[in-house]
Amino acid sequence: MSFLKSSSGPVAAPSPTPSTSSNSNNKRKRPIDDVPAGTVHSQPADTGIGEHMGTTFGWAIKELQRRDPEWMTLTEIFDYLGPTVRDNPQRRGQLKLILQSPSSERIEWDGEDKFRYRPKLPVRNAEQLKGFLQQQKSAQGILVKDLKDGWPNVQEAIEVMERKKELLVTHNKKDGSARTIWMNDPTLMHKVDPSFLNEWHKIPLPANPDDLRNKLVAAGLKPCSAPKEIVPVGPKEKKKKVPRRGGRQTNTHMAGVLKDYSHKRK
């Protein structure tokens, strides 16, 4: 059984087979390194702006608003929307009907082949703003945010017209920007004589409000800050409780049979 005896020294592990890459100093290249420079990989197809007709119509309105007041032809609109509309006759026909429909409130159609954006208010410059305000039949102000729909730079024009006294303007407290405007007639603006202003400001006002009230009362005037007289109100009289009457009597046909207990009512 000599073959079962252990050897005199430790058994060495077999050495791995040397590979070509381990002997050389060159690093193994990744597959991507073998691709020539300038190679264009696969890209998703240009599908335009979406396939839903509502989305397509929304993008068309945004482009018309961006180009306002310019007109766009149907071909220009189809080219902007991309191949999903341009290369699809059915979708082109659907969009054409929507653009030409009277229910499209934000689209203006010339009756032939051109379209443009229709803002909330037909105002795009200062002259149109004056004409629009002159046509108003009420004293209701015009919101500046509605004017911005068709005139993005309306704030600058409002500041110029306000300095010329052509507009009455209310401003936002946060940033001082114009909020609401009304028509104004500069010919009705009159300057006060400086001498009158000087005499007006020379009139001293009493520091104590009570003194001012007393002077007004002495002059036979009723001051707005007069104390309100409190009229004493007496206690309200309590209503006497009316005794409750009996309910509707029934069984009258048995009056001679039943006993009468009406005298015992409280």
Side-chain angles (χ1 to χ4, degrees):
M1 302 294 290
S2 59
F3 63 92
L4 296 177
K5 294 181 180 180
S6 60
S7 59
S8 58
V11 180
S15 60
T17 304
S19 60
T20 306
S21 59
S22 61
N23 294 335
S24 62
N25 295 328
N26 297 330
K27 294 182 179 180
R28 185 172 58 182
K29 294 183 179 181
R30 295 177 297 174
I32 194 173
D33 295 336
D34 297 333
V35 179
T39 302
V40 179
H41 298 275
S42 61
Q43 298 292 334
D46 183 10
T47 57
I49 44 76
E51 296 183 357
H52 195 276
M53 185 52 63
T55 305
T56 303
F57 180 63
W59 280 102
I61 291 180
K62 288 184 178 181
E63 180 63 12
L64 290 171
Q65 184 179 14
R66 187 183 68 85
R67 295 195 182 188
D68 184 60
E70 298 178 4
W71 293 84
M72 292 183 65
T73 62
L74 275 175
T75 303
E76 292 174 344
I77 296 175
F78 294 156
D79 291 340
Y80 167 75
L81 295 176
T84 55
V85 178
R86 183 183 62 240
D87 301 338
N88 191 326
Q90 182 179 0
R91 294 178 64 82
R92 291 201 308 268
Q94 292 176 351
L95 183 60
K96 180 180 179 181
L97 292 176
I98 295 176
L99 292 173
Q100 295 177 351
S101 174
S103 60
S104 300
E105 300 178 355
R106 290 290 175 265
I107 302 297
E108 186 177 352
W109 178 36
D110 68 345
E112 296 182 359
D113 189 46
K114 292 183 179 180
F115 303 86
R116 73 173 179 178
Y117 182 72
R118 177 182 294 163
K120 293 181 179 180
L121 300 177
V123 176
R124 294 184 176 91
N125 52 56
E127 294 300 326
Q128 292 180 355
L129 178 58
K130 291 180 182 179
F132 182 77
L133 290 173
Q134 291 173 356
Q135 295 175 0
Q136 298 302 305
K137 297 181 180 180
S138 65
Q140 185 177 4
I142 305 299
L143 295 178
V144 177
K145 65 178 182 179
D146 293 341
L147 291 172
K148 287 183 177 181
D149 186 56
W151 190 6
N153 300 327
V154 66
Q155 286 283 356
E156 300 176 1
I158 289 176
E159 293 177 0
V160 175
M161 297 176 70
E162 185 180 12
R163 288 195 294 267
K164 294 180 179 179
K165 309 298 182 182
E166 296 177 349
L167 293 178
L168 297 175
V169 186
T170 59
H171 299 269
N172 293 311
K173 294 182 179 180
K174 185 176 181 179
D175 55 359
S177 59
R179 180 180 180 181
T180 313
I181 61 173
W182 290 265
M183 188 68 182
N184 188 34
D185 189 355
T187 60
L188 301 178
M189 305 295 294
H190 300 284
K191 293 184 178 180
V192 181
D193 188 10
S195 59
F196 177 81
L197 289 176
N198 294 332
E199 295 297 328
W200 177 268
H201 291 295
K202 287 180 181 179
I203 301 175
L205 295 178
N208 190 357
D210 294 334
D211 297 340
L212 179 60
R213 185 185 301 110
N214 295 333
K215 288 186 177 182
L216 291 174
V217 173
L221 301 176
K222 184 178 181 180
C224 298
S225 59
K228 185 177 180 180
E229 297 181 1
I230 300 176
V231 180
V233 180
K236 295 182 179 180
E237 296 182 359
K238 294 183 179 180
K239 294 183 179 180
K240 295 182 179 180
K241 189 174 181 180
V242 180
R244 183 178 179 182
R245 296 182 179 180
R248 182 180 178 183
Q249 295 181 358
T250 58
N251 297 334
T252 55
H253 62 286
M254 301 180 66
V257 179
L258 300 176
K259 292 184 179 181
D260 186 9
Y261 293 96
S262 59
H263 61 281
K264 293 186 177 182
R265 292 180 181 176
K266 294 182 179 180

